[in-house]
Amino acid sequence: MPRKAADNPDVKGNEEQENLTQPDNGKEEIEALNHMLAAVLNYISDDEVEVIDIEYLLNNTEGLRDWWDQYRERNRKKIEEEISKALGGLSIEELEDLREKIKGKDRE
């Protein structure tokens, strides 16, 4: 179970988080990444943490959720390309099944 933010000085509670602005140079970005990495490693190496809670980390580590969202968006094109390549090897039946699954998701 995750410890409370007050027990871990590197992880701040939601109310303490600031809106992060983009670092204006490489050193600030590296420093921000080092801080987030340290907070995550402190959390996961804590013997009192029984289950690693990713949502807890994203919500309570300053800047981590923004970084994660930006990282995922940067990799979107790569994912799209991988899917496009994979579609070429599917049979017509598999493609039709996939289309039905996608249509089902659109209706939800």
Side-chain angles (χ1 to χ4, degrees), residues 3 27-28 40 43 68 75 81 83 86 89-91 97-98:
R3 291 174 51 194
K27 285 185 179 182
E28 288 180 10
V40 169
Y43 173 78
W68 180 240
N75 289 314
E81 290 171 8
I83 291 171
L90 297 178
S91 69
D97 288 343
L98 186 56

Side-chain angles (χ1 to χ4, degrees), residues 1-97:
M1 178 165 299
R3 291 174 51 194
K4 293 181 181 179
D7 293 341
N8 188 345
D10 291 321
V11 178
K12 297 182 178 180
N14 286 339
E15 63 280 351
E16 295 178 322
Q17 287 185 353
E18 303 170 356
N19 290 334
L20 287 183
T21 58
Q22 284 289 7
D24 55 2
N25 67 42
K27 285 185 179 182
E28 288 180 10
E29 183 176 7
I30 290 170
E31 186 61 35
L33 291 171
N34 282 336
H35 178 75
M36 286 185 280
L37 178 60
V40 169
L41 290 176
N42 282 333
Y43 173 78
I44 63 175
S45 65
D46 187 338
D47 291 337
E48 293 181 25
V49 175
E50 296 173 10
V51 176
I52 304 301
D53 184 348
I54 299 300
E55 278 301 311
Y56 175 84
L57 280 169
L58 290 172
N59 290 333
N60 295 295
T61 302
E62 184 176 334
L64 187 59
R65 181 170 301 278
D66 291 335
W67 175 85
W68 180 240
D69 291 342
Q70 291 170 5
Y71 176 83
R72 290 176 62 208
E73 194 57 42
R74 283 192 308 267
N75 289 314
R76 180 185 183 96
K77 291 289 183 196
K78 182 180 177 184
I79 293 169
E80 289 173 354
E81 290 171 8
E82 289 174 3
I83 291 171
S84 294
K85 287 178 185 176
L87 291 176
L90 297 178
S91 69
I92 189 68
E93 291 84 10
E94 291 170 319
L95 288 171
E96 289 171 343
D97 288 343

